[in-house]
Amino acid sequence: MAVLCKPAIAVPEYIITRDDTLELARQLHYDHLQLKKVLRLIEHTGVVRRHLIMPIDKVLEHPGLDARSAIYEEESKARVPSVVRKALDQAELEPQQIDLIIYVSCTGFMMPALTAWLINEMGFRSETRQIPIAQLGCAAGGAAINRAHDFCRAYPDANVLLVACEFCSLCYQPTDLGVGSLLSNGLFGDAVASAVVRGSGGTGVHLERNGSYLIPHTEDWISYAVRSTGFHFQLDKRVPGTMEPLAPALRAVAERQHWDAGELDFYIVHAGGPRILDDLCRFLDVPPEAFRFSRATLTEYGNIASAVVLDALARMFDEASALDGQRGLLAGFGPGITAEMALGTWTSTPAGTG
C-alpha cells in the first residue's frame, strides 16, 4: 500500500513581482518589435510573484555556465537538506528507513547526482538506491511519484524519498529574445520540494495506478538547446493547446481503474500556465475550483517546474478538506510532450492501525 505523504516545500528569499517583471521587460527590451505582445502574455500568466535564489541583478548578469554550475551545486547543498528533513518528519521516518532516493531537476547538472551527497551527509544507508531524473522537465514531479509507486509495488515494505530541486533562474539567457523565451522570463520561479512514498503506513494519497503518455512528434515543442552558455529553453507556441490531446489520456488512465476522470474529488496537476488549467476544466468537464491548488502555486510561486505537483499537493494537505476514500488525479506535463499521471485515494488511517 504505497502512500504519498505530505510534501515539504521551500522557496528562496528573493522575490520578484509581476510588476517588477513587466518593468524589467520594458527597460531591457524597449525596442523589441513584439514587446506589447510579450507584456500582455506576462500579464495573463496568473503569476503575481516568484522566488529566486539570487537577487534579480545577479540573475541578469549571467556569469557563464561554469559559474552557474557552481551556484547550482552550492545552492542545492544549502537548501535541499532542510526540506528533506521536514518531509521525513512529516512521513514519520528516519533517513535509515529510506530505500530509494529519486532526485529530479532540469535546471542544473551534477555527476554524481546530489543523491550521493545526500546519502553521505544526511545519514542514509550506503545501500540506498538512487534514481536521478534530469530530462523530463516539468513532468518529472509526476514521474518521480510514479517510479516511487512502481518501486513500492516491487518491494512492498520499501520507503522512497522524492526530491525536486529547481532553480529556473539559472537558465535565464539574456540573448534569447523570442516571444516564448521572454514569456518564460516572467513565468518560472525557483523552489525545492520533497516528499516520501511509504510502502506501508503513512497518511496521504494511497497510490492506486499510474501511467504515461507521449503526444507523437512533439519532442521539439518543449526543449533545451544545450550550448556553451548553458541551457536555452525553447517553447513552441502550440504548447498551451496540448491539453486537448492529453485529456483523453487522462480519461483512459482513469477508465482502467473504472473511474471517471471528470468526477473525481481532487486534482493535483502541473500548472504550466493558466490556459493549461482552463482547458483541463473544459475537456474534463470539471469546475475551475477543482484546480485551486495548482492555481495557487502558479499565482504565488510561478511555474516551479517539477516541484509544482508536490507544492499543489502540500496545499491540499494544508486545506484538510480531503476525506477518507476520496479519489483523485495527479499529473505532470513536460517535454516530449509527456504526461505522467497517477490515481490515488485519500487515507488518513495508516495501514495496520485500524
Side-chain angles (χ1 to χ4, degrees):
M1 181 177 173
V3 172
L4 175 57
C5 301
K6 183 179 181 178
I9 313 295
V11 290
E13 59 274 26
Y14 301 103
I15 295 174
I16 181 169
T17 67
R18 176 170 54 200
D19 289 343
D20 295 335
T21 301
L22 291 169
E23 182 57 29
L24 270 175
R26 294 187 188 100
Q27 292 176 10
L28 297 174
H29 309 294
Y30 61 90
D31 57 349
H32 196 287
L33 295 178
Q34 294 181 286
L35 178 60
K36 288 184 179 180
K37 179 179 181 179
V38 170
L39 296 175
R40 184 175 69 252
L41 289 171
I42 292 174
E43 286 177 338
H44 288 86
T45 58
V47 179
V48 173
R49 62 182 176 273
R50 295 170 292 143
H51 293 252
L52 310 174
I53 59 170
M54 298 183 293
I56 186 61
D57 58 323
K58 293 294 184 183
V59 173
L60 296 176
E61 284 178 2
H62 192 348
L65 179 57
D66 290 359
R68 279 188 168 178
S69 296
I71 293 169
Y72 177 87
E73 180 173 350
E74 178 183 357
E75 294 290 339
S76 60
K77 288 180 177 179
R79 298 177 186 273
V80 167
S82 61
V83 183
V84 166
R85 289 189 193 97
K86 185 175 180 181
L88 290 169
D89 288 345
Q90 291 175 169
E92 300 182 320
L93 292 177
E94 297 295 330
Q96 297 83 359
Q97 295 173 278
I98 296 297
D99 301 285
L100 166 67
I101 301 174
I102 302 176
Y103 178 85
V104 299
S105 180
C106 63
T107 52
F109 182 80
M110 291 171 59
M111 192 171 74
L114 193 72
T115 48
W117 182 85
L118 288 171
I119 290 170
N120 287 323
E121 295 295 320
M122 294 194 65
F124 296 98
R125 304 188 328 270
S126 293
E127 296 83 7
T128 305
R129 294 170 171 88
Q130 307 169 62
I131 299 180
I133 301 176
Q135 292 157 295
L136 280 176
C138 298
I145 293 169
N146 291 346
R147 300 297 75 79
H149 183 201
D150 294 342
F151 189 81
C152 289
R153 291 171 67 186
Y155 304 96
D157 294 324
N159 299 307
V160 182
L161 175 71
L162 315 179
V163 182
C165 178
E166 299 291 13
F167 301 146
C168 300
S169 61
L170 291 179
C171 296
Y172 169 70
Q173 298 289 349
T175 59
D176 290 353
L177 301 178
V179 171
S181 296
L182 296 181
L183 170 60
S184 299
N185 294 342
L187 181 62
F188 287 93
D190 299 346
V192 175
S194 183
V196 171
V197 174
R198 291 187 53 149
S200 60
T203 61
V205 180
H206 172 210
L207 299 170
E208 305 270 4
R209 177 183 294 272
N210 66 65
S212 181
Y213 183 81
L214 183 142
I215 305 175
H217 310 301
T218 57
E219 63 269 26
D220 59 344
W221 288 19
I222 302 175
S223 62
Y224 275 164
V226 183
R227 300 173 184 156
S228 59
T229 46
F231 303 144
H232 291 251
F233 184 64
Q234 300 175 139
L235 182 69
D236 191 280
K237 63 182 180 181
R238 293 170 288 185
V239 169
T242 49
M243 290 305 103
E244 184 170 6
L246 285 181
L250 297 174
R251 288 193 175 277
V253 168
E255 287 169 2
R256 288 196 287 273
Q257 190 68 15
H258 306 293
W259 295 359
D260 184 334
E263 297 183 356
L264 301 179
D265 301 297
F266 59 87
Y267 297 83
I268 304 296
V269 302
H270 176 71
R275 183 176 167 185
I276 297 294
L277 302 176
D278 292 343
D279 281 1
L280 274 180
C281 288
R282 182 157 55 98
F283 294 123
L284 295 182
D285 194 22
V286 298
E289 181 71 5
F291 299 113
R292 62 190 180 277
F293 306 115
S294 299
R295 290 187 192 277
T297 298
L298 184 64
T299 297
E300 297 176 23
Y301 295 161
N303 184 338
I304 49 175
S306 65
V308 166
V309 291
L310 296 179
D311 181 73
L313 179 61
R315 292 172 187 272
M316 189 177 83
F317 272 87
D318 289 339
E319 187 180 88
S321 58
L323 303 175
D324 277 344
Q326 287 190 328
R327 304 174 301 175
L329 168 73
L330 298 88
F333 313 117
I337 301 281
T338 300
E340 285 283 342
M341 305 160 285
L343 301 175
T345 54
W346 185 262
T347 177
S348 59
T349 305
T353 62

